Amino acid sequence: MLELYRNIKRIREEKGMSQDELARLVGFKSRSSINKIEMGVNDITQSKLIAIANALHVSPGELMGEDKEVASPTDLSTRLPNMVPIDARTFRVPIVGRVAAGRPIVADEEIVGYEYIDNKYSKDGHEYFGLRIVGKSMEPTIMDGDIVIVRRQNYVENGEIAIVLIDGEEATAKEVKESADGITLIGHNTAVYTPHFYSAQEVKNLPVQIIGRVVQSIRKF
């Protein structure tokens, strides 16, 4: 999310557009709303993200950094196979390794199976993949052994559940809360996991990377 705020400011300045002008094009009452977004003080909704992208004549993906080539060889999200259409209503997505909901474990890039999802997910232009949850920190929202369907993206809104890559190797599923100061990973089972805060410096240096948003949980019996 911090990259999103920086990109909005950078692209606006590159295009020679003032905060007042961008605010007017987006529909904000004053430049202070744009200023707070660029500073990371105000959250940004999906609709406003699209409006800002349109005003700056770029794609939402460019604002979020998704259109840039990612060089990190350890970023799990850069090497996932595309979804495979099965029929008019169904897409097949790969289940890639495991992810911990609790103590993070090493993310395994080997495809361990496949899940079938509704083709409504294919219409937003994003890539989807599945991961198996190991651990109890997200219970009762997500249970140990559940398979989560993840939309590949490098941001989430506050309160959404993300797959987060820590130090290039360890992946974990957590609710995310971001601010200008850093990122907090929140487990729903507070008996086994207390919220963990990473400063903005730690987010940059470790790094702490959001690789996708959890959109669905599949429970096997």
Side-chain angles (χ1 to χ4, degrees):
M1 205 66 167
L2 294 176
E3 181 181 9
L4 168 62
Y5 301 143
R6 289 192 293 264
N7 285 343
I8 290 173
K9 181 178 181 180
R10 174 183 58 80
I11 293 172
R12 177 184 61 77
E13 291 178 342
E14 288 175 354
K15 293 180 177 293
M17 185 181 296
S18 68
Q19 289 182 337
D20 285 311
E21 184 178 2
L22 181 56
R24 178 178 57 79
L25 291 172
V26 173
F28 287 130
K29 293 182 179 180
S30 70
R31 63 178 291 274
S32 64
S33 296
I34 296 296
N35 185 54
K36 289 178 180 178
I37 288 174
E38 292 181 349
M39 292 176 62
V41 176
N42 278 6
D43 294 332
I44 182 170
T45 64
Q46 190 74 11
S47 61
K48 288 301 182 185
L49 171 64
I50 293 172
I52 291 173
N54 290 339
L56 293 173
H57 301 290
V58 298
S59 69
E62 186 173 346
L63 289 182
M64 296 179 292
E66 292 182 345
D67 291 348
K68 297 178 181 178
E69 182 177 352
V70 181
S72 171
T74 57
D75 187 345
L76 175 65
S77 69
T78 64
R79 294 189 295 279
L80 293 169
N82 291 326
M83 298 185 298
V84 177
I86 301 300
D87 55 37
R89 296 178 296 176
T90 309
F91 270 74
R92 188 184 75 175
V93 297
I95 303 172
V96 185
R98 296 181 299 162
V99 60
R103 180 178 179 271
I105 61 175
V106 175
D108 181 1
E109 295 169 20
E110 181 182 358
I111 296 176
V112 297
Y114 294 91
E115 279 294 335
Y116 296 86
I117 63 174
D118 192 285
N119 71 353
K120 67 180 181 180
Y121 293 115
S122 71
K123 297 176 182 178
D124 61 12
H126 284 78
E127 185 176 27
Y128 289 81
F129 59 95
L131 286 170
R132 187 180 300 278
I133 296 298
V134 178
K136 300 179 181 295
S137 76
M138 287 302 292
E139 293 184 353
T141 308
I142 303 174
M143 306 295 287
D144 182 31
D146 284 358
I147 293 170
V148 293
I149 303 300
V150 183
R151 186 174 84 168
R152 176 181 168 177
Q153 58 187 67
N154 63 2
Y155 74 100
V156 292
E157 300 290 342
N158 281 341
E160 293 181 330
I161 297 173
I163 302 300
V164 184
L165 202 63
I166 302 170
D167 198 18
E169 293 184 338
E170 298 176 332
T172 189
K174 291 290 178 292
E175 180 182 325
V176 169
K177 182 178 180 180
E178 284 190 286
S179 69
D181 296 324
I183 184 171
T184 301
L185 304 185
I186 303 168
H188 290 180
N189 185 352
T190 56
V192 299
Y193 187 91
T194 55
H196 191 100
F197 175 76
Y198 292 92
S199 68
Q201 193 67 30
E202 289 175 315
V203 170
K204 178 180 179 180
N205 291 340
L206 280 174
V208 178
Q209 300 169 291
I210 293 171
I211 64 171
R213 178 170 69 88
V214 173
V215 299
Q216 183 180 353
S217 177
I218 300 172
R219 192 155 301 158
K220 302 291 186 179
F221 295 96

